[in-house]
Amino acid sequence: MTDSAGQRAGDRSNADWTEPGLFTVAPGVHRIPLPLPSDALRAVNVYAIESGNDLVLIDAGWALAETGGLLDAALDQ
């Protein structure tokens, strides 16, 4: 699986870690940054882990108006 730019996460070492999208960190493990309303910590990393036909989400972030759409868009990838 590739990220929002069509690249593996390892190919994006200079990218901003808070940039929205899906970033593959290992086979079957994907990082999805979602914004937080704070200057101290700008984003939370949600992890989507493939488990057969299912996805397990770890730390799905805060329930903010913009995060639901960003999470849906990343999972569509």
Side-chain angles (χ1 to χ4, degrees):
M1 194 176 267
T2 57
D3 66 20
S4 59
Q7 300 174 322
R8 292 237 173 240
D11 297 334
R12 305 194 56 189
S13 59
N14 294 329
D16 179 0
W17 72 273
T18 65
E19 180 182 334
L22 178 79
F23 304 91
T24 300
V25 296
V29 179
H30 314 282
R31 180 178 67 85
I32 304 168
L34 295 179
L36 291 174
S38 169
D39 289 336
L41 184 60
R42 299 182 331 222
V44 62
N45 288 313
V46 177
Y47 286 89
I49 301 170
E50 298 175 28
S51 178
N53 292 328
D54 297 322
L55 280 177
V56 176
L57 296 181
I58 308 296
D59 193 359
W62 289 14
L64 303 174
E66 67 183 297
T67 59
L70 291 171
L71 182 59
D72 287 343
L75 292 173
D76 283 343
Q77 294 180 19

